[in-house]
Amino acid sequence: MLVLTRRVNEAIIIDNRIKVTIVGIEDDKVRIGIDAPPEVPIVRQELLAAVADENKAAAQTPAVALDNLSLKVTQGKQR
């Protein structure tokens, strides 16, 4: 990992197309601004971890529960 020291309003450039600017620092939080092309996904790490956990839980859902879901959908159409 590359570690850099920056001050407020200073920036770094990644790959000549992504600009990360330190917008503010308060207590133990750093606010950053990111200018990147729209095709570059920017996601907070904790959201990626939450999605991975949800996907793992969904993959472990027993087939019986999925069968019940299909039955409920069928019953819902008949009403």
Side-chain angles (χ1 to χ4, degrees), residues 1-13 20-22 25 30 32:
M1 175 190 311
L2 173 66
V3 178
L4 300 171
T5 301
R6 301 278 66 199
R7 292 187 170 95
V8 173
N9 295 324
E10 290 184 338
I12 61 171
I13 305 296
V20 179
T21 304
I22 304 302
I25 303 170
V30 177
I32 59 173

Side-chain angles (χ1 to χ4, degrees), residues 41-56:
I42 300 171
V43 181
R44 289 183 287 159
Q45 183 178 20
E46 63 272 20
L47 293 179
L48 283 178
V51 169
D53 289 345
E54 289 293 324
N55 287 341
K56 190 181 296 181

